[in-house]
Amino acid sequence: MSSVKALWFADDRLSVLDQRQLPLERKVLELSTAEETAEAIRNMTVRGAPTIGVAAAYGMVLGHRKDPAAAEATAQLLRSTRPTAHDLFVGVDTVLSAWTSGKDVLAAAEDYRESIVRQCQSIGRHGAPLLGAEARVLTHCNAGALATVEWGTALAPIRVAQQEGRKPHVWVDETRPLLQGARLTAWELSQEGISHTVLADNAAGLLLQRKKVDLVIVGADRITASGDFANKIGTYEKAVLAKTHKVPFYVAAPWSTFDLALESGEEIPIEERSPEEVTSFQGVRSTPRGSPAWNPAFDVTPAEYVAGFITPTGVFKAHELRGVLERHLGRRGHS
Ligand code: MRU
């Protein structure tokens, strides 16, 4: 198991590792209302699609504790925080359905968390055989334990390979503008002694051209039925580069990330965040005052760039996804 846990729930408090402070400070925040949970998701104290979904599920529990009549309002508050991660909506809806049918909301949230952790473990087992004895893996953003509560999606196969005695090396894109790669992925890998090197986002092209990458593995925030997917801004260009250099590009995700209701990537809502995340970092300005900035948080990679989707039950091609998803999720679109 991974040594990192993004959040835990006890005594009607949701404790979350403050991911804005890592790696410089390991600070835990305690959230006791749905409003505080929504704000922690919005300001990225907790982040990464599966972790957002689990946090929102517990946010629903906290909302239920305060006002058992406010089911729909609490769900709306949590849904309004970040539009791209499909897991957010699955986490909210899972507890909402327990709430409105008079079932135990905490049990629903706990089951949801456990299911995400189990699925990520399975992703690790199914993805690990893709890595040779000393595989050099490029990843973007943070799709590790911090982003999924435990284990990770893109990092899970790497963790399993390391635990099995292989020696993976991870190339970690720094991931502008919030540095989830440099700050969070590098921190997680350091915790477990996994060999890695951080690179500026714009160095990935040279790295691939020099044949220093055996495979790319990334996570996803939303995957459509056709296999188009949204992930952290900068993912698309890595996929195009990987194809140009004939390096296989994999996407790892639990079922909650798949959105059967959407066919094409063009339908995925893309979150745009404050321009200040681009014009300054941690309060220090890096652009001239008055220069405008554009800050889309995600981009969309068409399915044609993906060698395989690493899921909890195996690795599938894009054209196999629809059948696999209908078997696992049913036509409702989520588990
Ligand atoms: O904006 P973030 O940090 O929440 O974005 C996270 C990502 O893009 C991850 O790659 C994605 O959520 C997959 S996490 C397993």
Side-chain angles (χ1 to χ4, degrees):
M1 103 155 207
S2 51
S3 57
V4 175
K5 257 197 191 129
L7 54 79
W8 56 97
F9 191 88
D11 302 326
D12 284 348
R13 295 267 186 289
L14 176 61
S15 299
V16 298
L17 255 187
D18 187 344
Q19 299 193 31
R20 300 166 305 173
Q21 310 298 331
L22 288 169
L24 301 181
E25 209 184 330
R26 192 175 182 149
K27 195 165 140 195
V28 174
L29 295 187
E30 288 202 340
L31 312 173
S32 53
T33 64
E35 288 74 12
E36 287 173 4
T37 308
E39 182 52 25
I41 294 171
R42 191 174 287 116
N43 69 23
M44 295 178 64
T45 300
V46 282
R47 48 145 299 282
T51 292
I52 291 173
V54 174
Y58 284 120
M60 288 292 286
V61 174
L62 294 171
H64 181 268
R65 297 286 190 259
K66 187 169 148 201
D67 181 1
E72 198 42 57
T74 309
Q76 261 321 103
L77 168 75
L78 289 158
R79 285 190 196 115
S80 69
T81 51
R82 298 196 69 190
T84 305
H86 188 248
D87 309 60
L88 168 70
F89 302 90
V90 178
V92 168
D93 287 350
T94 300
V95 179
L96 180 63
S97 104
W99 187 336
T100 53
S101 53
K103 296 198 183 118
D104 183 340
V105 289
L106 180 55
E110 299 280 43
D111 286 353
Y112 184 71
R113 177 186 57 78
E114 276 165 29
S115 153
I116 292 294
V117 172
R118 260 199 322 274
Q119 290 180 56
C120 288
Q121 249 177 303
S122 301
I123 287 170
R125 276 199 303 278
H126 287 291
L130 298 169
L131 278 67
E134 297 188 357
R136 300 160 305 170
V137 186
L138 175 67
T139 192
H140 191 68
C141 195
N142 171 263
L146 291 167
T148 65
V149 184
E150 289 179 52
W151 284 96
T153 53
L155 295 195
I158 296 165
R159 285 199 154 95
V160 171
Q162 172 94 358
Q163 285 166 7
E164 288 175 355
R166 279 173 272 161
K167 293 193 170 19
H169 180 82
V170 188
W171 293 107
V172 180
D173 287 342
E174 69 176 344
T175 317
R176 282 279 294 152
L178 297 180
L179 306 190
Q180 289 94 329
R183 295 187 302 106
L184 306 177
T185 299
W187 181 74
E188 279 194 40
L189 295 171
S190 305
Q191 300 293 304
E192 289 168 34
I194 299 177
S195 165
H196 63 280
T197 307
V198 180
L199 60 149
D201 288 334
N202 40 18
L206 183 66
L207 189 77
L208 284 152
Q209 198 174 45
R210 290 189 172 174
K211 305 196 182 320
K212 295 199 183 285
V213 179
D214 299 307
L215 69 166
V216 183
I217 314 181
V218 297
D221 280 74
R222 194 183 293 231
I223 306 171
T224 70
S226 66
D228 296 348
F229 74 99
N231 191 48
K232 180 53 55 195
I233 191 77
T235 300
Y236 170 49
E237 60 195 45
K238 305 302 179 289
V240 175
L241 281 164
K243 189 163 189 171
T244 299
H245 295 288
K246 301 188 172 38
V247 173
F249 184 100
Y250 292 94
V251 180
W255 303 122
S256 48
T257 306
F258 289 87
D259 185 356
L260 254 188
L262 301 189
E263 180 58 36
S264 154
E266 286 173 17
E267 300 167 65
I268 301 176
I270 298 295
E271 176 183 6
E272 293 200 11
R273 295 185 61 84
S274 163
E276 279 168 25
E277 290 179 352
V278 174
T279 55
S280 49
F281 185 69
Q282 292 185 335
V284 180
R285 196 172 181 89
S286 56
T287 58
R289 220 169 271 289
S291 288
W294 180 46
N295 188 18
F298 302 97
D299 58 24
V300 174
T301 301
E304 68 192 82
Y305 292 99
V306 182
F309 292 87
I310 310 172
T311 76
T313 57
V315 182
F316 299 102
K317 299 274 180 211
H319 68 85
E320 297 173 298
L321 277 184
R322 195 182 311 274
V324 172
L325 289 169
E326 282 176 0
R327 268 201 305 284
H328 284 281
L329 308 181
R331 294 198 176 268
R332 285 175 305 135
H334 60 75
S335 52

